[in-house]
Short mmCIF file of all heavy atoms in Angstrom, two decimals:
data_model
loop_
_atom_site.label_atom_id
_atom_site.label_comp_id
_atom_site.label_asym_id
_atom_site.label_seq_id
_atom_site.Cartn_x
_atom_site.Cartn_y
_atom_site.Cartn_z
N MET A 217 14.02 6.27 -33.93
CA MET A 217 13.30 5.11 -34.77
C MET A 217 14.40 3.99 -34.90
O MET A 217 15.53 4.22 -34.99
CB MET A 217 13.15 5.77 -36.28
CG MET A 217 12.11 6.84 -36.23
SD MET A 217 10.56 6.13 -35.62
CE MET A 217 9.57 7.69 -35.49
N PRO A 218 13.81 2.79 -34.93
CA PRO A 218 14.62 1.70 -35.19
C PRO A 218 15.17 1.75 -36.63
O PRO A 218 14.59 2.23 -37.52
CB PRO A 218 13.76 0.39 -35.01
CG PRO A 218 12.35 1.05 -35.26
CD PRO A 218 12.52 2.50 -34.74
N VAL A 219 16.33 1.16 -36.85
CA VAL A 219 16.86 1.14 -38.26
C VAL A 219 16.03 0.26 -39.12
O VAL A 219 15.55 -0.90 -38.56
CB VAL A 219 18.38 0.61 -38.21
CG1 VAL A 219 18.85 0.55 -39.61
CG2 VAL A 219 19.21 1.38 -37.29
N VAL A 220 15.71 0.70 -40.24
CA VAL A 220 14.78 -0.13 -40.99
C VAL A 220 15.35 -1.31 -41.61
O VAL A 220 16.56 -1.12 -42.12
CB VAL A 220 14.14 0.92 -42.15
CG1 VAL A 220 14.95 2.08 -42.48
CG2 VAL A 220 13.83 -0.01 -43.35
N ASP A 221 14.78 -2.33 -41.43
CA ASP A 221 15.39 -3.67 -41.87
C ASP A 221 14.86 -3.97 -43.31
O ASP A 221 13.71 -4.09 -43.60
CB ASP A 221 14.79 -4.73 -40.85
CG ASP A 221 15.26 -6.06 -41.08
OD1 ASP A 221 16.23 -6.10 -41.96
OD2 ASP A 221 14.92 -7.02 -40.53
N SER A 222 15.88 -4.00 -44.18
CA SER A 222 15.55 -4.19 -45.54
C SER A 222 14.83 -5.54 -45.76
O SER A 222 14.07 -5.66 -46.75
CB SER A 222 16.79 -4.09 -46.36
OG SER A 222 17.96 -4.17 -45.65
N VAL A 223 15.15 -6.47 -45.00
CA VAL A 223 14.47 -7.80 -45.18
C VAL A 223 12.86 -7.67 -45.12
O VAL A 223 12.20 -8.38 -45.79
CB VAL A 223 14.90 -8.77 -44.05
CG1 VAL A 223 14.13 -10.15 -44.16
CG2 VAL A 223 16.31 -9.16 -44.20
N LYS A 224 12.51 -6.62 -44.44
CA LYS A 224 11.00 -6.54 -44.38
C LYS A 224 10.37 -6.26 -45.71
O LYS A 224 9.17 -6.49 -45.86
CB LYS A 224 10.67 -5.41 -43.42
CG LYS A 224 10.99 -5.66 -41.97
CD LYS A 224 9.64 -5.47 -41.15
CE LYS A 224 10.02 -5.94 -39.75
NZ LYS A 224 8.86 -6.28 -38.96
N TYR A 225 11.17 -5.68 -46.65
CA TYR A 225 10.58 -5.37 -47.85
C TYR A 225 10.60 -6.45 -48.91
O TYR A 225 10.09 -6.44 -49.95
CB TYR A 225 11.39 -4.18 -48.51
CG TYR A 225 11.09 -2.86 -47.83
CD1 TYR A 225 11.97 -2.15 -46.92
CD2 TYR A 225 9.78 -2.33 -48.01
CE1 TYR A 225 11.63 -0.97 -46.33
CE2 TYR A 225 9.48 -1.02 -47.31
CZ TYR A 225 10.37 -0.52 -46.61
OH TYR A 225 10.02 0.80 -45.96
N ILE A 226 11.30 -7.54 -48.53
CA ILE A 226 11.47 -8.75 -49.49
C ILE A 226 10.09 -9.20 -49.89
O ILE A 226 9.97 -9.28 -51.04
CB ILE A 226 12.31 -9.75 -48.76
CG1 ILE A 226 13.82 -9.43 -48.68
CG2 ILE A 226 12.14 -11.11 -49.62
CD1 ILE A 226 14.61 -9.74 -49.92
N SER A 227 9.39 -9.58 -48.98
CA SER A 227 8.07 -10.22 -49.51
C SER A 227 7.13 -9.24 -50.29
O SER A 227 6.53 -9.66 -51.24
CB SER A 227 7.36 -10.74 -48.11
OG SER A 227 6.99 -9.65 -47.39
N LYS A 228 7.18 -7.91 -49.86
CA LYS A 228 6.45 -6.97 -50.54
C LYS A 228 6.86 -6.92 -52.02
O LYS A 228 6.03 -7.00 -52.95
CB LYS A 228 6.56 -5.64 -49.75
CG LYS A 228 5.55 -4.61 -50.17
CD LYS A 228 5.81 -3.44 -49.33
CE LYS A 228 5.00 -2.23 -49.76
NZ LYS A 228 5.41 -0.98 -49.07
N ILE A 229 8.21 -6.76 -52.12
CA ILE A 229 8.62 -6.70 -53.46
C ILE A 229 8.59 -7.85 -54.36
O ILE A 229 8.20 -7.91 -55.58
CB ILE A 229 10.10 -6.15 -53.45
CG1 ILE A 229 10.12 -4.70 -52.80
CG2 ILE A 229 10.72 -6.04 -55.02
CD1 ILE A 229 11.66 -4.20 -52.56
N SER A 230 8.98 -9.07 -53.76
CA SER A 230 9.02 -10.31 -54.43
C SER A 230 7.55 -10.76 -54.89
O SER A 230 7.40 -11.16 -56.08
CB SER A 230 9.75 -11.36 -53.70
OG SER A 230 9.01 -11.56 -52.51
N SER A 231 6.62 -10.57 -54.02
CA SER A 231 5.32 -10.94 -54.40
C SER A 231 4.68 -10.06 -55.61
O SER A 231 4.09 -10.35 -56.45
CB SER A 231 4.39 -10.94 -53.23
OG SER A 231 4.14 -9.59 -52.86
N LYS A 232 5.07 -8.81 -55.48
CA LYS A 232 4.66 -7.82 -56.55
C LYS A 232 5.25 -8.04 -57.88
O LYS A 232 4.65 -7.86 -58.92
CB LYS A 232 5.10 -6.36 -56.09
CG LYS A 232 3.91 -5.46 -55.78
CD LYS A 232 4.31 -3.94 -55.72
CE LYS A 232 3.36 -3.16 -54.87
NZ LYS A 232 3.94 -1.77 -54.74
N SER A 233 6.48 -8.57 -57.95
CA SER A 233 7.11 -8.85 -59.22
C SER A 233 7.15 -10.35 -59.56
O SER A 233 7.79 -10.78 -60.47
CB SER A 233 8.48 -8.29 -59.20
OG SER A 233 9.21 -8.69 -58.04
#
Side-chain angles (χ1 to χ4, degrees):
Chain A
M217 294 302 175
V219 179
V220 22
D221 185 4
S222 13
V223 174
K224 291 238 173 201
Y225 286 107
I226 287 272
S227 64
K228 198 174 168 189
I229 299 172
S230 61
S231 69
K232 246 193 204 173
S233 51

